[in-house]
């Protein structure tokens, strides 16, 4: 059964601009663990020393062979500078696992990320597309309607809406206390997703679930 939420930080406020870089890699499940270990140790240590670093999450699907990371930054310049410094090291950490890898940059339009969670927690990721002219409607709807309903669900630990305003793309990531809470939330979250989609005319392009290796984002100073 779902226990008490671990590391939840309801005080994190979307009023402070934060920027995020995500990495989505796929490969042979048999080679995934080495990439996870390299990212969790060397990768985490390297990124945490860079200016503007706010936090990081590492999520995996061991059955299919997927690795997803998100790094959080105080400003766009810190995010951009860090990418230039880490690009080659990142590729080495993912070798030989990653057969495909995609990096995306986002604005955290609504942010309630967890301060600290580890193994045992689970993560659901939805990817969305919409008309760029509807970005503000999407952000307002998620902040004012969807997020309060999500926060009220048992086992909710944290969540965020990331947007690419120019491209009309977004991702919603929600962390759950454990797998029981993730599974129990599916029906309620589907209803919230449906209501938000109707309100904002957003298309859901994919829906995935991952184990949490670790995730934590520091609150604004």
């Amino acid at each position: 059964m779902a226990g008490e939420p671990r590391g939840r930080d309801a005080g994190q406020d979307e009023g402070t601009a934060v920027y995020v870089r995500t990495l989505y890699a796929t490969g042979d499940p048999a080679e995934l663990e080495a990439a996870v270990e390299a990212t969790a140790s060397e990768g985490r240590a390297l990124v945490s020393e860079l200016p503007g670093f706010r936090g990081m999450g590492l999520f995996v699907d061991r059955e299919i062979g997927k690795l997803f990371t998100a790094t959080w930054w105080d400003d766009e310049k810190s995010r951009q500078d860090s990418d230039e410094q880490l690009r080659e090291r990142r590729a080495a950490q993912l070798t030989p696992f990653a057969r495909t890898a995609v990096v995306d940059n986002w604005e955290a339009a609504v942010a309630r990320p967890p301060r600290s969670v580890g193994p045992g927690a689970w993560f659901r990721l939805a990817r969305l597309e919409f008309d760029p002219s509807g970005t503000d409607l999407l952000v307002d709807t998620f902040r004012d309607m969807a997020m309060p309903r999500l926060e009220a669900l048992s086992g909710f630990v944290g969540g965020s809406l990331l947007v690419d305003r120019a491209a009309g793309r977004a991702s919603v990531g929600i962390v759950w206390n454990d797998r029981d809470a993730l599974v129990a939330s599916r029906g309620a979250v589907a209803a919230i997703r449906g209501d938000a989609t109707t309100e904002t005319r957003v298309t859901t392009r994919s829906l995935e679930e991952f184990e949490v290796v670790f995730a934590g984002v520091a609150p604004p100073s």
Side-chain angles (χ1 to χ4, degrees), residues 142-195:
F142 187 83
R143 182 189 63 232
D144 299 335
M145 183 273 283
M147 183 59 87
R149 291 169 62 182
L150 290 166
E151 289 180 309
L153 296 176
S154 177
F156 174 93
V157 177
S160 299
L161 168 68
L162 311 181
V163 299
D164 180 338
R165 294 177 181 269
R169 299 185 304 130
S171 65
V172 175
I174 306 295
V175 177
W176 300 92
N177 196 60
D178 54 29
R179 180 165 174 78
D180 286 343
L182 174 107
V183 171
S185 74
R186 286 171 179 161
V189 173
I192 295 169
R193 188 184 312 119
D195 291 345

Side-chain angles (χ1 to χ4, degrees), residues 37-136:
E37 293 177 3
T39 302
S41 55
E42 179 189 2
R44 189 180 191 181
L46 286 171
V47 75
S48 65
E49 295 176 353
L50 297 178
F53 174 77
R54 178 72 68 80
M56 181 177 180
L58 172 59
F59 316 94
V60 296
D61 182 332
R62 289 185 167 91
E63 181 178 359
I64 296 177
K66 295 184 286 187
L67 180 150
F68 181 77
T69 69
T71 53
W72 293 64
W73 304 91
D74 284 331
D75 51 65
E76 287 184 279
K77 185 177 187 304
S78 295
R79 182 184 64 190
Q80 180 178 349
D81 290 349
S82 69
D83 189 49
E84 294 172 358
Q85 295 177 62
L86 295 171
R87 191 175 295 125
E88 291 185 5
R89 300 293 291 274
R90 184 169 61 223
Q93 291 159 19
L94 294 174
T95 302
F97 163 69
R99 300 299 197 271
T100 69
V102 177
V103 174
D104 289 303
N105 292 305
W106 310 92
E107 170 197 343
V110 182
R112 293 286 190 276
R115 283 194 180 183
S116 181
V117 293
W122 279 71
F123 175 71
R124 182 180 295 117
L125 176 69
R127 292 184 177 86
L128 316 174
E129 290 183 0
F130 54 93
D131 188 316
S133 66
T135 303
D136 289 341

